[in-house]
Amino acid sequence: MSNMQAAPKPTVVVRGFRIFEGLLQRDVQEALVADLRALTRDAPFFAPQTPYGKPMSVRMTSAGELGWFSDRTGYRYTSTHPKGQSWPEIPASVLDIWDHISGVTRSPQSCLVNFYGENAKMGMHQDKDEKDLTWPVVSVSLGDDALFRIGNETRGGKTESIWLRSGDVVVMGGAARLTYHGIDRIRYGSSTLLPKGGRINLTLRVVD
Ligand code: MD3
Ligand code: FE
């Protein structure tokens, strides 16, 4: 299979979510934050509106050819930031993580950058706005610890929760790609990576 490559072994697997605890050393995390600061100067964080009329508590921006966007009319991928400019390129430091861990040789088209302030959370949801759900999704945690809840392929049922820490990387492939998941809360101030606290999550995806 030409799309596959050897990938390292996860430290934990929960319901098919392959978790690589502490994969990124502090110096790598700091370099990522520097690249993200440059990125958010070109593509500032915004608070997405939802079809339900309430803004999300997580602030977002994107890099890559397609970025995730939500407003009163629904969710979609767009080729531009809400202010009109193209999304910036995905930093090489971020692409390196995908190349190391995704297990596939195709490049991601989208890097969603989520910022969690002190009281931000993300409700349980499925990610299925992408056309081909057979590609893996890679998530990178930076900054404060986050309580990540993992459910089932349908809404409801028993869930399992794990803390994601700065430098952890999670790969979702196979059946896990359609598993409900969310972030209940962060432990604000638990990490020194971001001087003002908070958490950044990067989500890398192939979209179409
Ligand atoms: C499972 N973000 O942006 S990352 C999201 O920490 C999202 O910001 C959370 O869920 C965060 O959609 C969780 C882990 C994650 C990301 C994408 C997935 C889990 C996933 C896609 C499919 C299945
Ligand atoms: Fe998600």
Side-chain angles (χ1 to χ4, degrees):
M1 293 238 281
S2 61
N3 257 316
M4 303 296 289
Q5 59 169 33
K9 276 216 188 330
T11 52
V12 193
V13 181
V14 182
R15 300 191 183 190
F17 286 66
R18 299 156 49 83
I19 304 167
F20 299 79
E21 297 167 297
L23 184 75
L24 309 176
Q25 300 293 322
R26 177 74 183 212
D27 59 334
V28 173
Q29 297 176 38
E30 287 172 358
L32 285 165
V33 171
D35 288 343
L36 293 169
R37 285 202 196 292
L39 189 159
T40 58
R41 275 195 289 272
D42 295 337
F45 283 114
F46 56 93
Q49 292 292 133
T50 63
Y52 327 107
K54 237 184 99 175
M56 294 180 68
S57 59
V58 178
R59 288 187 290 146
M60 298 184 174
T61 188
S62 288
E65 60 185 273
L66 293 166
W68 193 82
F69 183 71
S70 175
D71 64 13
R72 297 296 293 266
T73 72
Y75 311 132
R76 59 199 174 274
Y77 282 93
T78 65
S79 54
T80 54
H81 185 278
K83 290 190 184 297
Q85 72 276 39
S86 297
W87 301 106
E89 283 186 19
I90 302 176
S93 56
V94 176
L95 292 173
D96 285 348
I97 300 168
W98 173 274
D99 290 344
H100 182 64
I101 214 73
S102 70
V104 300
T105 53
R106 183 171 173 184
S107 297
Q109 294 172 292
S110 178
C111 175
L112 175 63
V113 184
N114 290 336
F115 178 77
Y116 293 75
E118 185 161 8
N119 298 117
K121 54 188 162 57
M122 187 179 285
M124 293 290 281
H125 67 278
Q126 260 176 325
D127 289 43
K128 41 186 216 174
D129 297 328
E130 301 76 30
K131 198 175 285 171
D132 183 347
L133 299 174
T134 65
W135 295 102
V137 173
V138 172
S139 145
V140 177
S141 292
L142 295 169
D144 289 341
D145 302 345
L147 188 56
F148 182 48
R149 186 191 292 265
I150 303 174
N152 304 284
E153 278 184 53
T154 54
R155 198 172 270 291
K158 289 189 178 168
T159 65
E160 286 178 65
S161 294
I162 54 162
W163 284 96
L164 293 177
R165 296 184 176 79
S166 197
D168 291 353
V169 175
V170 187
V171 180
M172 283 69 54
R177 186 68 181 72
L178 283 170
T179 299
Y180 275 84
H181 58 278
I183 296 287
D184 286 350
R185 60 191 167 91
I186 69 165
R187 213 144 45 189
Y188 185 71
S190 55
S191 164
T192 57
L193 185 69
L194 304 175
K196 293 177 194 160
R199 171 176 186 259
I200 291 174
N201 181 265
L202 307 178
T203 309
L204 293 161
R205 296 180 171 88
V206 173
V207 175
D208 57 21

